[in-house]
Amino acid sequence: MENKEYHITHVNLFRVDQPLIKPYKLSYNTFNSFEPLLVQIIDNHGNEGWGEQHISPGSSNETREGGWTFVRVLASLILKKTYFEAKFTISKLAKYSKVAATSIITAIEMLENNNSLYKNQTIKLKLLTAFSSEESFQIKDELDELIEKGFTTFKIKVGKDVKADLKKIELIQFYLNKRGTLRIDANRGYSKFDGSLFSKSINPECIELFEQPCNADDWEANKAVANVSNVPIMLDEPICSLEDIKRASLIDGVELCKLKLKRFLSVQELSDAIKYAHKLDLKIVIGDGLGSEINCWMEAKVAHELLNNAGEYNGFIKIKPEAKILKNHLKFEKGFLIIEKDWYPEIDDKKLEKYTVFKETININSF
């Protein structure tokens, strides 16, 4: 039970710009850096918690500018409140910018030693990797390179040209030669017709799933694709609540849902959503490929308890090593994320200062 003597006294807000090793291409955007909202919350005993979320322009109606304004408002509203009171306040307003709200609630969860985050054990989790090559000789070389690094699950982006996409998948399957599996992601790029044509034309060999063929709001189009697909369909962007999970479970051909911490507001609610999906016989994949180290840590801790597939919380390996803001970086080794017993994030203040674009401090003396 929460001790009422503990209340929030300081909130430090950061907008960070972390350059990537190479551009990360999605159907709706190409990222050369990640620009997360980073939140530090300090209580009246000097304890601190950190939260981090990345608003992805084009992924939803949220904007980075709007999210920044929103966390500034939330920060002022939770001062002098207990952890429970602060989370309750944020939850009531979260609909206005859910990703931004998640950055603050998860900082509070870290502050209050959430059980999922602080279970005292070493964990080792297989990671999926992004795949970017298009031409035949590049495909072979990139596959060989990634397999040498220990990866066995590859995410392939499609969604622009059915004929070209089918040809690319065929080449990847040929050079993969059953050494791993594929997750194909259209990022909402296909129409109902093109998505259906692609999904019923594809050779299912070594393919785990086909992710989000059509627009997130067009449930009927995604249902039409799922009904004819040669491979299981996974819905991603439409899945933001328990009601969405229930709706997905009723569609023939939809066997999986993709969940991300930033869509479920808290570590606790993400865990509850996974358990709910399992009761409906839906498989779950979790992970935000745009997340930095703190978000990846949180998603991985949830995954370790509840899932046994390759995680997509791999954003931390896309960031240039010198641009990472932790002293104790997350460990990647031969295709696995390894989190040692007793590991928790330790911020490198000099790195944080270097890669911070905007900062604001809100405390009980601010008003």
Side-chain angles (χ1 to χ4, degrees):
M1 184 177 296
E2 185 181 84
N3 185 333
K4 288 290 185 178
E5 292 182 356
Y6 287 77
H7 59 265
I8 293 167
T9 59
H10 293 73
V11 183
N12 293 317
L13 306 173
F14 307 84
R15 287 183 67 175
V16 182
D17 190 328
Q18 298 175 281
L20 305 184
I21 296 170
K22 62 180 181 180
Y24 180 46
K25 298 180 181 180
L26 302 178
S27 65
Y28 63 88
N29 209 337
T30 296
F31 295 91
N32 294 300
S33 64
F34 291 162
E35 300 180 46
L37 283 171
L38 187 66
V39 177
Q40 179 193 31
I41 297 180
I42 303 171
D43 70 15
N44 58 319
H45 289 267
N47 303 308
E48 67 175 21
W50 292 84
E52 167 251 305
Q53 289 301 326
H54 187 226
I55 295 175
S56 173
S59 179
S60 71
N61 292 328
E62 291 184 64
T63 66
R64 289 172 176 163
E65 292 72 21
W68 177 252
T69 299
F70 189 59
V71 292
R72 293 172 66 225
V73 172
L74 290 179
S76 65
L77 292 176
I78 64 175
L79 289 178
K80 300 183 181 180
K81 286 185 166 58
T82 66
Y83 305 157
F84 176 82
E85 291 168 344
K87 290 190 294 183
F88 181 74
T89 297
I90 297 166
S91 296
K92 289 194 300 181
L93 300 171
K95 63 183 179 180
Y96 296 108
S97 186
K98 201 167 188 178
V99 178
T102 302
S103 68
I104 297 193
I105 284 193
T106 52
I108 297 171
E109 287 184 307
M110 181 177 171
L111 184 63
E112 64 187 357
N113 297 325
N114 175 274
N115 187 54
S116 294
L117 298 180
Y118 285 93
K119 282 194 173 176
N120 195 17
Q121 56 189 314
T122 296
I123 64 176
K124 183 177 181 180
L125 299 164
K126 183 175 285 293
L127 289 181
L128 163 147
T129 183
F131 187 89
S132 59
S133 294
E134 301 285 340
E135 302 299 328
S136 178
F137 72 95
Q138 295 172 328
I139 288 171
K140 180 181 184 305
D141 289 346
E142 185 173 0
L143 278 173
D144 289 343
E145 178 185 346
L146 292 172
I147 289 170
E148 179 67 24
K149 291 180 179 178
F151 290 109
T152 57
T153 308
F154 307 90
K155 171 161 281 194
I156 315 299
K157 299 292 185 179
V158 298
K160 293 183 178 180
D161 182 301
V162 173
K163 184 176 180 180
D165 289 340
L166 287 169
K167 181 179 179 181
K168 179 173 72 172
I169 297 300
E170 184 179 1
L171 280 170
I172 292 171
Q173 288 171 316
F174 174 77
Y175 287 119
L176 182 62
N177 193 25
K178 300 181 180 180
R179 293 178 293 171
T181 58
L182 309 178
R183 295 179 187 170
I184 301 172
D185 185 7
N187 273 131
R188 303 163 288 150
Y190 284 135
S191 65
K192 178 171 72 172
F193 177 83
D194 285 348
S196 299
L197 177 60
F198 178 85
S199 68
K200 67 184 179 182
S201 302
I202 199 167
N203 176 357
E205 181 180 276
C206 298
I207 296 175
E208 291 185 18
L209 56 88
F210 176 28
E211 180 178 349
Q212 201 56 49
C214 305
N215 189 281
D217 296 325
D218 197 340
W219 284 81
E220 289 305 312
N222 287 296
K223 178 180 178 180
V225 175
N227 289 167
V228 300
S229 180
N230 286 338
V231 296
I233 296 296
M234 179 169 76
L235 296 184
D236 179 5
E237 282 84 1
I239 310 302
C240 302
S241 68
L242 299 185
E243 291 78 13
D244 297 330
I245 292 172
K246 177 66 178 293
R247 187 175 182 180
S249 74
L250 301 175
I251 301 175
D252 290 339
V254 173
E255 297 183 18
L256 308 97
C257 286
K258 170 81 165 292
L259 305 187
K260 297 175 182 177
L261 178 55
K262 66 186 180 184
R263 296 204 194 108
F264 283 85
L265 202 58
S266 72
V267 168
Q268 186 59 56
E269 291 190 43
L270 178 61
S271 298
D272 292 344
I274 294 171
K275 293 172 185 176
Y276 178 71
H278 286 166
K279 288 180 180 178
L280 298 177
D281 294 323
L282 278 176
K283 298 176 183 177
I284 294 296
V285 170
I286 71 171
D288 183 5
L290 300 170
S292 299
E293 288 182 287
I294 293 174
N295 186 69
C296 291
W297 166 60
M298 291 182 174
E299 289 185 332
K301 294 291 280 190
V302 173
H304 179 254
E305 292 186 310
L306 298 171
L307 304 174
N308 60 4
N309 51 34
E312 301 199 12
Y313 29 83
N314 59 9
F316 74 99
I317 62 177
K318 299 168 184 163
I319 299 169
K320 289 183 177 181
E322 64 270 21
K324 295 180 180 180
I325 60 169
L326 295 186
K327 293 178 181 178
N328 54 339
H329 300 318
L330 284 176
K331 185 177 181 181
F332 171 76
E333 187 175 283
K334 296 191 179 298
F336 288 86
L337 165 61
I338 300 171
I339 302 176
E340 302 289 353
K341 180 179 178 181
D342 296 327
W343 187 96
Y344 62 95
E346 297 178 23
I347 300 295
D348 185 323
D349 292 332
K350 290 183 179 179
K351 289 285 188 69
L352 177 57
E353 182 180 358
K354 180 176 180 180
Y355 292 100
T356 292
V357 180
F358 299 110
K359 176 184 177 181
E360 184 158 349
T361 296
I362 299 172
N363 58 47
I364 57 177
N365 299 315
S366 301
F367 303 95

